[in-house]
Amino acid sequence: MQTSSQERIRTLTESGLWGSDTLHSLLAANATRHPDREAVIDPPNKHELTGLPERRMTFAEVDAASSALASALAAVGIERGDSVLVQLPNISELILTYYALSKLGAIISPIAIQYGSHEIAGFAGALKPKAMLTLAECRGLPLLRQAQDALPGVRVWDVIHDLNAGATTHSETWKQPQSDANDIVTLCWTSGTTGTPKGVPRSHNMWVTQGRLTMNAGGYQPGERLLAPFPFINMAALGGFLFPAALLGCTLVLHHPLDPAIYLQQLQQERIHFSIAPPALLNRLAQQPELWRQFDFSALRAFGSGSVPLSPAMIEVIEGQYGKPVINFYGSNEGIGLFATPENAPSAEHRARLFPRLGVKDTAFEGDDGKTLMTRVIDPETGTEITQPGIPGELCIAGPGVFDGYLDSVTDEVFTADGMFRTGDLVEICGDPPIYYRIVGRSKDIINRGGTKISPSEIDTLLEGFPGLAEVAVCAYPDPILEERICACVVPVEGQEPPTLEALCGWLSERGIARFKLPERLEVFEALPRNPLGKIVRSQLQQAVSERGAPS
């Protein structure tokens, strides 16, 4: 499957921005050059999570094991161009699955371990997968059973027990198909700019380009040891760890789920050089210097962070007192990739909240980013370009890492007439001189809960059948740690008592929705704000919730 036009492929190939590297060809190169170097290290709590033993695998072992898995998948019918849903935690088997499906020329569509049958069925309805790979269970969650229940007629396999048994049987007869760096290798999921989750197809070339931009911004070095605390389902882990590690022969140290105590121990014990850490964890380290002093972080070169605005005070402490630079990452599955570094945003105040205006005349920055990425701000309604500071507008971006369009969706509304992706994020041009962007909000109804984008309309739809309610909708409310949480806003039927938050969450849970989408606050209204067409005006609803103050 390819989504890029021949014109785009030709232009980017001739410019040297795209090439012939695939995820599995990078692995093969590392297995040849550094066969005995550690490639993947399981989280220390893997057995507790899954019942499986922890592994430390070299590049040669990862290459051999992923080929064995590819042969087993080929034996059960997975071919080039097939789509495969994958629901696995951050364990070595997930990394092997990425490489195995890449070797087959298949498309991996990874989903969060927290997702339930409701989400799985929704993804499969859009993707039409050939199969799904998962585990029997993880942390007590019956992953295999819920996947089988959600996907009647789709082959669902336990990647450990159902496939490993046949791996050696077919390995000698399996032949790796031809591959093309312009083939789609992943189809991740995002709330995008228009509501319900959408599939984002991206090719090897898109990811390799993204990986290079990330490793350049983060100063990644060949052979470094990288601690990956984010699920390998989206940009943070794929663009921040998987592809940079493949490009530079780095060691991937896996972590799951986020546990500050285990994370800090891994930083020390595994002699980590670089990690992208959640802002809340860095804030805690900055606020508790005694905690920092408990560990030996002498190997650590720098931290990355992002997903929400960072604290300038945190950067000043981590950088000024602890001596570890902080890079602010802003990215998305669609291929957004902006980075505020000590070089392009020297002050902590700037780096915490501002990003360079790349690819804009008279705002050139050092390095390749400004040569390969283009950005622009437009009026969300008219599409007119905004060039003056202080005026909010929608950020648009183009470059070799940006996708071609959502899966089976009309793309006109998410691209400008000249092909720039409309991110849905509102920014202002700022700085003196005005060479930065400040993110000020979103132009669409998306809730950002700790970096995870959630479609409120999806939750609205599930709640509409709740008995005794005349109206119901959800919106975001601010939170100092996660940036936003979810509030359920209800209008009871006249004469009816309002429901409890527990009852609403129970209703949603019964319908298989993921736990992180459950509302954490309930507000009762006489009516919900609507526009002349009867659509909920979520910005007004959010404002009304904010005016009521913090939840009791």
Side-chain angles (χ1 to χ4, degrees), residues 268-304:
Q268 173 181 271
Q269 294 172 2
E270 297 293 346
R271 304 294 293 168
I272 298 300
H273 298 103
F274 182 81
S275 183
I276 300 177
L281 180 56
L282 293 185
N283 289 340
R284 180 179 173 187
L285 287 173
Q287 294 162 7
Q288 300 178 21
E290 67 281 1
L291 180 61
W292 178 269
R293 290 191 292 266
Q294 289 178 20
F295 298 89
D296 176 10
F297 297 141
S298 57
L300 187 67
R301 177 178 54 77
F303 279 115

Side-chain angles (χ1 to χ4, degrees), residues 1-22:
M1 174 183 175
Q2 294 187 359
T3 60
S4 298
S5 67
Q6 288 303 307
E7 180 183 0
R8 187 183 190 201
I9 292 172
R10 183 179 63 256
T11 299
L12 291 174
T13 301
E14 290 176 351
S15 68
L17 295 172
W18 281 3
S20 59
D21 288 331
T22 61

Side-chain angles (χ1 to χ4, degrees), residues 269-537:
Q269 294 172 2
E270 297 293 346
R271 304 294 293 168
I272 298 300
H273 298 103
F274 182 81
S275 183
I276 300 177
L281 180 56
L282 293 185
N283 289 340
R284 180 179 173 187
L285 287 173
Q287 294 162 7
Q288 300 178 21
E290 67 281 1
L291 180 61
W292 178 269
R293 290 191 292 266
Q294 289 178 20
F295 298 89
D296 176 10
F297 297 141
S298 57
L300 187 67
R301 177 178 54 77
F303 279 115
S305 196
S307 79
V308 299
L310 303 185
S311 162
M314 176 273 288
I315 294 177
E316 289 174 352
V317 171
I318 298 289
E319 204 162 85
Q321 297 183 27
Y322 302 163
K324 308 299 180 183
V326 177
I327 296 95
N328 192 358
F329 289 81
Y330 162 59
S332 76
N333 286 332
E334 292 94 338
I336 305 171
L338 298 180
F339 313 93
T341 70
E343 291 71 34
N344 62 33
S347 77
E349 187 68 35
H350 281 181
R351 202 172 335 135
R353 304 180 185 279
L354 307 184
F355 295 93
R357 292 179 66 198
L358 298 178
V360 177
K361 186 179 179 181
D362 298 328
T363 60
F365 288 89
E366 293 293 328
D368 295 332
D369 295 6
K371 301 174 185 176
T372 59
L373 293 177
M374 294 176 55
T375 59
R376 181 190 304 160
V377 184
I378 64 171
D379 183 293
E381 300 300 326
T382 67
T384 304
E385 183 174 3
I386 296 172
T387 58
Q388 297 300 312
I391 302 174
E394 184 175 9
L395 177 65
C396 300
I397 188 166
V402 177
F403 79 143
D404 295 307
Y406 294 113
L407 175 70
D408 296 333
S409 295
V410 176
T411 59
D412 292 349
E413 62 185 33
V414 295
F415 287 91
T416 63
D418 59 349
M420 298 188 75
F421 172 57
R422 299 182 60 166
T423 68
D425 287 331
L426 297 178
V427 302
E428 291 178 350
I429 298 169
C430 60
D432 185 15
I435 59 174
Y436 295 105
Y437 295 126
R438 177 188 292 112
I439 300 174
V440 296
R442 286 182 302 282
S443 60
K444 302 294 181 181
D445 294 338
I446 300 298
I447 298 172
N448 184 2
R449 188 184 186 277
T452 299
K453 306 298 174 59
I454 299 169
S455 166
S457 59
E458 176 192 16
I459 306 174
D460 290 353
T461 300
L462 290 174
L463 284 174
E464 284 175 355
F466 191 91
L469 293 182
E471 296 182 87
V472 60
V474 300
C475 68
Y477 68 95
D479 179 78
I481 296 176
L482 295 176
E483 185 179 16
E484 293 180 338
R485 293 183 186 266
I486 302 171
C487 177
C489 303
V490 302
V491 178
V493 172
E494 187 175 354
Q496 295 277 346
E497 290 294 321
T500 64
L501 181 61
E502 292 74 17
L504 286 179
C505 291
W507 173 273
L508 291 171
S509 296
E510 289 173 0
R511 281 143 186 82
I513 198 170
R515 294 176 186 173
F516 67 84
K517 297 180 182 179
L518 296 177
E520 297 167 274
R521 177 176 178 179
L522 175 69
E523 294 291 341
V524 180
F525 290 85
E526 293 184 359
L528 301 184
R530 296 181 181 272
N531 64 18
L533 298 177
K535 183 179 179 180
I536 293 288
V537 183

